[in-house]
Protein backbone atom coordinates (compact mmCIF):
# COMPACT_ATOMS: atom_id res chain seq x y z
CA UNK A 1 0.00 0.00 0.00
CA UNK A 2 1.36 3.42 -0.96
CA UNK A 3 0.59 6.32 1.33
CA UNK A 4 0.41 9.68 -0.39
CA UNK A 5 0.11 13.12 1.10
CA UNK A 6 -0.76 16.61 -0.03
CA UNK A 7 -0.76 17.37 -3.74
CA UNK A 8 0.24 13.82 -4.71
CA UNK A 9 -2.75 12.45 -2.80
CA UNK A 10 -5.06 14.99 -4.43
CA UNK A 11 -3.79 14.16 -7.91
CA UNK A 12 -4.11 10.42 -7.27
CA UNK A 13 -7.67 10.90 -6.03
CA UNK A 14 -8.67 12.91 -9.10
CA UNK A 15 -6.97 10.37 -11.38
CA UNK A 16 -8.89 7.56 -9.71
CA UNK A 17 -12.16 9.48 -10.06
CA UNK A 18 -11.48 9.98 -13.76
CA UNK A 19 -10.72 6.29 -14.15
CA UNK A 20 -13.94 5.33 -12.38
CA UNK A 21 -15.95 7.82 -14.44
CA UNK A 22 -14.70 6.22 -17.65
CA UNK A 23 -15.79 2.82 -16.37
CA UNK A 24 -19.22 4.06 -15.29
CA UNK A 25 -20.65 6.27 -18.03
CA UNK A 26 -23.54 8.42 -16.89
CA UNK A 27 -22.51 8.22 -13.25
CA UNK A 28 -19.96 11.00 -13.07
CA UNK A 29 -21.59 12.81 -10.13
CA UNK A 30 -21.71 9.57 -8.16
CA UNK A 31 -18.07 8.89 -9.05
CA UNK A 32 -16.92 12.31 -7.90
CA UNK A 33 -18.99 11.93 -4.75
CA UNK A 34 -17.24 8.61 -4.11
CA UNK A 35 -13.85 10.29 -4.60
CA UNK A 36 -14.86 13.09 -2.24
CA UNK A 37 -15.96 10.54 0.36
CA UNK A 38 -12.44 9.07 0.21
CA UNK A 39 -10.68 12.44 0.25
CA UNK A 40 -12.48 15.75 0.82
CA UNK A 41 -9.72 17.57 -1.09
CA UNK A 42 -11.05 16.09 -4.33
CA UNK A 43 -13.82 18.69 -4.14
CA UNK A 44 -11.28 21.39 -5.01
CA UNK A 45 -10.75 19.70 -8.39
CA UNK A 46 -14.41 19.05 -9.14
CA UNK A 47 -16.30 20.98 -11.81
CA UNK A 48 -18.27 24.02 -10.61
CA UNK A 49 -21.58 22.20 -11.13
CA UNK A 50 -20.44 19.44 -8.79
CA UNK A 51 -19.20 21.98 -6.24
CA UNK A 52 -22.79 23.23 -6.24
CA UNK A 53 -24.20 19.73 -5.70
CA UNK A 54 -25.46 19.50 -2.11
CA UNK A 55 -24.75 15.78 -1.74
CA UNK A 56 -21.20 16.05 -3.07
CA UNK A 57 -20.36 19.08 -0.92
CA UNK A 58 -21.99 17.60 2.17
CA UNK A 59 -19.89 14.45 1.73
CA UNK A 60 -16.74 16.59 1.75
CA UNK A 61 -17.87 18.79 4.64
CA UNK A 62 -18.68 15.67 6.68
CA UNK A 63 -14.98 14.77 6.49
CA UNK A 64 -13.49 18.19 7.03
CA UNK A 65 -15.25 21.50 7.58
CA UNK A 66 -12.64 23.36 5.54
CA UNK A 67 -14.01 21.64 2.44
CA UNK A 68 -16.69 24.32 2.46
CA UNK A 69 -14.16 26.73 0.96
CA UNK A 70 -14.38 24.73 -2.29
CA UNK A 71 -18.19 24.81 -2.46
CA UNK A 72 -20.10 27.08 -4.79
CA UNK A 73 -20.87 30.59 -3.55
CA UNK A 74 -24.54 29.66 -3.19
CA UNK A 75 -23.74 26.75 -0.89
CA UNK A 76 -21.29 28.85 1.10
CA UNK A 77 -24.23 31.15 1.80
CA UNK A 78 -26.44 28.20 2.80
CA UNK A 79 -26.86 28.07 6.58
CA UNK A 80 -27.11 24.25 6.57
CA UNK A 81 -23.65 23.87 5.06
CA UNK A 82 -22.03 26.56 7.18
CA UNK A 83 -23.40 24.96 10.34
CA UNK A 84 -22.22 21.52 9.22
CA UNK A 85 -18.71 22.87 8.67
CA UNK A 86 -18.60 24.67 12.01
CA UNK A 87 -19.97 21.65 13.86
CA UNK A 88 -17.48 19.38 12.12
CA UNK A 89 -14.25 21.28 12.52
CA UNK A 90 -12.62 23.49 15.03
CA UNK A 91 -10.29 24.82 12.33
CA UNK A 92 -12.78 26.70 10.16
CA UNK A 93 -10.71 29.88 10.14
CA UNK A 94 -9.66 29.12 6.55
CA UNK A 95 -13.25 29.34 5.26
Amino acid sequence: MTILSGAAEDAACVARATELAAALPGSFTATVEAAVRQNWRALEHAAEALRADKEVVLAAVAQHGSALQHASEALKADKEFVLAAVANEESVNDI
Side-chain angles (χ1 to χ4, degrees):
M1 174 183 233
T2 302
I3 298 176
L4 303 172
S5 64
E9 184 178 289
D10 294 346
C13 189
V14 172
R16 180 68 178 142
T18 303
E19 178 184 313
L20 289 171
L24 302 168
S27 301
F28 189 69
T29 300
T31 302
V32 173
E33 186 176 351
V36 168
R37 286 186 187 283
Q38 290 183 6
N39 181 345
W40 65 271
R41 290 181 176 102
L43 185 62
E44 179 180 5
H45 306 288
E48 181 63 28
L50 293 173
R51 289 188 279 146
D53 184 294
K54 287 186 175 190
E55 289 184 25
V56 172
V57 175
L58 205 50
V61 171
Q63 286 183 51
H64 200 287
S66 294
L68 188 60
Q69 68 187 333
H70 303 299
S72 69
E73 292 301 317
L75 289 182
K76 287 180 192 178
D78 186 315
K79 182 179 177 181
E80 173 187 345
F81 286 94
V82 174
L83 290 177
V86 172
N88 217 5
E89 278 304 311
E90 67 242 15
S91 61
V92 293
N93 296 330
D94 296 335
I95 298 175

